[in-house]
Amino acid sequence: MNFGPEGVRRIGELEKWLDGTELRVGHTYLPGDLWSNIEGKPGFLADWATWRRAADDRMFVLNVPMLERNEDHVPDEVVRARLRAGAAGAYDAHFTALAKRLVDLKVPDTVIVLGWEMNGNTYTHRCGPDPGAWKKYWSRIVTAMRAVPGQKFKFDFAPTRGRDAIPWTDCYPGDDSVDIIGMDSYDQPENMPFDKQISEPYGLQQQVDFAKAHGKEISYPEWGLFASGDNPGYMRHMLNWIDEHKPLYSTISDYCPHGVWQCTKNPRSSVVYRSVLSGRKEPGGVKDPSATPSPAPFPSATPPAAPAASPHPVTTGPPKGCVPVELGDWAEYWLGGKLCVRLDWWREK
């Protein structure tokens, strides 16, 4: 996808690729280079807000950095000083400005993925250099944003799956300032079986158990392929996991190497993803919602940090020969029966 207005336009293109599936979740990121951008000044927020307001059941998800120079490889001693300054209130005004911006745009119910992947080393807003200050700073940001009249924000605590640089439980700021327990979960390390992704310390099962213990919903703000390349088995397992655990929302990172629509490097996974999600309609649209299951909100695509590839069409004509694919009861419900696919239908001409 794309961070700005182009990303909004591509939602419609992705819906067409999915044969009319209605995407309910729009997900983008604020730039973390300057405080002025973290305050929400980029003009593209208006386009995303317009998309959100066009239907009552849509959801707008916004990743918000906690510190500027967020991808500049700032050393730990500087991160520690900045976290402590934030915990003391030095940056409150920036987040108050962002909250006012979102309320003025009439998207007061935005889901805020604040300080994502804090348990790793990628971002300046990481937790490791001073977990105590990080937690106080998170709570301070939430308090500042919730103080803005008219807001209805939900705050999503979203570490990476696994231990990473620090156990994500060491960074949890407390139930009063968290609404959702999220997790960014990619297919890594290489060749790691999906059941290990579930059972590893700080993995998928611990996320679900932790959220239940704290009375929170779960989410998957980022997920997708990675270290093992084109992996249809992972794709099938992750979609089934999402079906089983019903997150508030999930968004696949749809760019190479993670994606299945704009990335042509994962054709077999693309077949699985598209076969599960193509042609879905909202409960209450073509069917009575009281007579149908209530699946998780439809996935959207997470925007890339680099230009994405052109959309890759998938042929949809009836196959002459096929191989059955087990996708679970939820997928078969929406497909109207067992799925049978040709594994060569993705082949480029």
Side-chain angles (χ1 to χ4, degrees):
M1 301 297 281
N2 185 281
F3 292 117
E6 183 68 12
V8 179
R9 185 184 66 79
R10 288 180 182 174
I11 290 176
E13 294 178 358
L14 180 55
E15 288 176 331
K16 290 179 181 178
W17 184 73
L18 291 173
D19 297 326
T21 293
E22 299 172 5
L23 300 180
R24 289 174 49 196
V25 182
H27 185 183
T28 194
Y29 294 68
L30 287 175
D33 52 348
L34 301 171
W35 281 118
S36 58
N37 285 328
I38 296 173
E39 290 177 2
K41 287 187 177 179
F44 69 76
L45 276 184
D47 295 274
W48 288 97
T50 298
W51 176 86
R52 162 64 186 90
R53 295 195 308 267
D56 290 342
D57 62 351
R58 287 179 175 174
M59 180 185 301
F60 179 45
V61 179
L62 182 64
N63 276 50
V64 176
M66 293 171 67
L67 292 167
E68 65 176 353
R69 296 182 59 202
N70 199 37
E71 298 184 42
D72 287 0
H73 306 290
V74 175
D76 281 355
E77 59 269 21
V78 177
V79 171
R80 188 176 300 111
R82 292 183 181 180
L83 291 176
R84 291 174 180 176
Y91 310 130
D92 287 4
H94 300 300
F95 296 97
T96 298
L98 172 61
K100 290 179 178 177
R101 170 79 168 142
L102 293 168
V103 170
D104 288 346
L105 287 169
K106 297 182 174 58
V107 285
D109 56 352
T110 297
V111 174
I112 305 293
V113 187
L114 181 64
W116 69 99
E117 300 185 8
M118 78 299 294
N119 57 324
N121 287 317
T122 302
Y123 300 110
T124 303
H125 64 216
R126 60 190 180 270
C127 172
D130 193 332
W134 193 94
K135 291 185 281 188
K136 290 178 182 177
Y137 181 31
W138 165 290
S139 297
R140 183 125 196 166
I141 292 170
V142 172
T143 298
M145 295 187 71
R146 284 179 175 168
V148 172
Q151 67 80 32
K152 302 175 184 177
F153 304 127
K154 286 189 174 183
F155 291 89
D156 192 338
F157 173 82
T160 59
R161 195 197 77 240
R163 187 184 189 282
D164 213 325
I166 183 175
W168 52 260
T169 51
D170 290 357
C171 306
Y172 186 65
D175 292 346
D176 290 346
S177 59
V178 173
D179 300 294
I180 306 161
I181 307 296
M183 182 165 281
D184 288 355
S185 184
Y186 291 96
D187 184 24
Q188 62 176 344
E190 185 176 1
N191 297 324
M192 185 180 203
F194 193 77
D195 61 355
K196 290 291 291 182
Q197 297 183 28
I198 294 172
S199 64
E200 68 173 329
Y202 312 105
L204 292 169
Q205 189 62 55
Q206 187 164 347
Q207 175 215 14
V208 169
D209 294 344
F210 188 91
K212 183 177 181 179
H214 290 263
K216 307 298 181 183
E217 298 177 285
I218 64 169
S219 73
Y220 298 102
E222 296 181 22
W223 69 275
L225 303 158
F226 193 21
S228 299
D230 187 10
N231 189 346
Y234 164 82
M235 184 61 58
R236 181 171 63 252
H237 287 310
M238 191 64 190
L239 288 170
N240 284 340
W241 179 265
I242 289 169
D243 164 43
E244 179 182 356
H245 295 283
K246 303 294 188 292
L248 177 65
Y249 70 94
S250 63
T251 55
I252 191 169
S253 296
D254 197 50
Y255 59 97
C256 286
H258 311 303
V260 293
W261 173 46
Q262 296 183 104
C263 179
T264 62
K265 296 181 179 180
N266 302 313
R268 294 180 301 152
S269 301
S270 177
V271 167
V272 173
Y273 184 88
R274 189 169 187 258
S275 66
V276 171
L277 296 176
S278 285
R280 289 184 54 185
K281 300 296 181 183
E282 282 292 332
V286 295
K287 297 186 179 182
D288 181 348
S290 64
T292 61
S294 298
F298 298 119
S300 71
T302 301
S310 298
H312 180 55
V314 176
T315 304
T316 59
K320 294 180 180 178
C322 60
V323 176
V325 177
E326 293 296 329
L327 295 171
D329 293 340
W330 171 75
E332 290 170 6
Y333 171 85
W334 285 103
L335 291 169
K338 293 284 185 183
L339 174 69
C340 190
V341 298
R342 280 178 57 184
L343 297 182
D344 64 346
W345 69 345
W346 48 266
R347 196 171 290 154
E348 296 188 42
K349 302 297 183 183

